[in-house]
Amino acid sequence: MQMIKIAIIDDNKVFLQEMKRTLEACGEYEADMTCDIYESGDDFLQAEGGHQLVILDSLRDNHSACNTVYYLDLCRTYY
């Protein structure tokens, strides 16, 4: 079974930890997964990548979320 790589991006550290804990608890029953957490879209974009699922906080005070989505759309690979 292939490892599912998930990225969670949020500026709320408590939310990041809770979401990671919740997803990893589900993984025990459904799939092999790993969750990486990032406090900003810039941190995420500078990381290694290869995530199959990205959970992105879109309710932020700055335009970081929009910029991250725009960059991901530009770099998307079609299979």
Side-chain angles (χ1 to χ4, degrees), residues 33-69:
M33 71 175 79
T34 182
C35 295
D36 299 319
I37 57 175
Y38 304 94
E39 292 183 29
S40 74
D42 291 337
D43 291 346
F44 168 72
L45 292 173
Q46 293 174 7
E48 182 179 312
H51 297 91
Q52 287 86 12
L53 174 64
V54 177
I55 301 170
L56 176 63
D57 174 17
S58 63
L59 301 174
R60 302 190 53 169
D61 293 338
N62 58 34
H63 296 288
S64 179
C66 293
N67 292 338
T68 303
V69 170

Side-chain angles (χ1 to χ4, degrees), residues 20-34:
K20 180 177 180 175
R21 188 174 59 86
T22 300
L23 289 171
E24 287 176 343
C26 293
E28 294 176 14
Y29 304 103
E30 298 297 323
D32 291 330
M33 71 175 79
T34 182

